């Protein structure tokens, strides 16, 4: 495995792939109640074809290692607490990205009594990626632009956190 990683590093150095303009960022994905359309597009954007990690975005398995909480789907009643626990487990500074119309509080799938609402009803959303589902190009464009513009505020103080509606 180490030999393969060394060869990959040499190959990338040889073809001079550009470094991410804004550095790198780790995100933790939470499906808060989606139809899985956004998840399919998120998987596509992480594939070698779109290669989102080349632009500085890496998917991590634990919220303890994440800078960004990427949420898909309208928050269901049963996913409210797990979502908030993932947010609380993240180290500061941290931000939230809402992927898809459901996460943005539009075009919900399911019954209203089972939905808590959009992510912004619980947490302050810094990155909004609209679409049902958004294309891999749109996901990459929004995330890359947020990182390049330093809209995330990584390395500086951030005010993203729970909104007043979280109670």
């Amino acid at each position: 495995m180490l030999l393969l990683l060394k060869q990959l590093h040499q190959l990338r150095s040889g073809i001079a792939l550009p470094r991410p303009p804004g550095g790198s960022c780790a995100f933790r994905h939470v499906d808060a109640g989606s139809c899985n359309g956004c998840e399919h597009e998120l998987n596509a954007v992480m594939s070698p074809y779109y290669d989102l990690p080349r632009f500085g975005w890496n998917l991590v398995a634990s919220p303890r290692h994440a800078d960004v909480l990427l949420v898909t789907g309208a928050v269901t009643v049963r996913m409210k607490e797990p979502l908030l626990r993932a947010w609380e487990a993240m180290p500061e500074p941290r931000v939230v990205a809402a992927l898809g119309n459901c996460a943005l509080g539009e075009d919900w799938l399911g019954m209203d009594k089972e939905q808590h609402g959009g992510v912004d009803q619980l947490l302050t959303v810094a990155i909004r990626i609209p679409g049902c589902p958004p294309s891999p190009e749109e996901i990459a464009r929004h995330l890359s632009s947020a990182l390049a513009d330093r809209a995330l505020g990584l390395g500086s103080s951030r005010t993203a956190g729970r909104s007043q509606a979280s109670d």
Side-chain angles (χ1 to χ4, degrees):
M1 184 65 165
L2 189 58
L3 179 62
L4 289 175
L5 290 174
K6 184 177 178 183
Q7 289 173 345
L8 178 63
H9 177 71
Q10 289 173 344
L11 176 67
R12 285 188 174 209
S13 297
I15 58 176
L17 289 175
R19 287 273 183 216
S24 65
C25 196
F27 70 90
R28 170 70 172 125
H29 170 243
V30 173
D31 178 353
S34 76
C35 67
N36 289 331
C38 292
E39 283 73 19
H40 288 292
E41 301 303 317
L42 186 59
N43 284 337
V45 82
M46 294 303 291
S47 73
Y49 184 81
Y50 294 100
D51 199 12
L52 194 59
R54 181 170 58 98
F55 297 105
W57 286 92
N58 297 299
L59 177 66
V60 293
S62 171
R64 297 189 197 303
H65 303 145
D67 302 305
V68 177
L69 186 64
L70 182 71
V71 184
T72 56
V75 181
T76 64
V77 173
R78 290 178 182 88
M79 280 302 294
K80 177 184 173 185
E81 287 306 314
L83 176 64
L84 294 176
R85 278 196 308 267
W87 169 256
E88 295 297 330
M90 292 174 63
E92 292 284 346
R94 58 191 175 191
V95 296
V96 175
L99 175 62
N101 288 348
C102 293
L104 294 171
E106 307 167 10
D107 306 328
W108 296 350
L109 178 67
M111 298 180 290
D112 286 342
K113 67 179 182 178
E114 294 295 323
Q115 305 287 335
H116 185 72
V119 179
D120 60 356
Q121 297 295 313
L122 297 171
L123 301 167
T124 303
V125 176
I127 304 170
R128 299 175 175 276
I129 308 171
C132 185
S135 67
E137 293 89 356
E138 284 295 306
I139 296 170
R141 185 177 64 79
H142 279 87
L143 292 177
S144 296
S145 118
L147 191 58
D149 294 344
R150 290 306 220 180
L152 301 179
L154 295 177
S156 64
S157 63
R158 247 185 265 150
T159 59
R162 283 191 186 191
S163 68
Q164 301 298 327
S166 65
D167 297 295

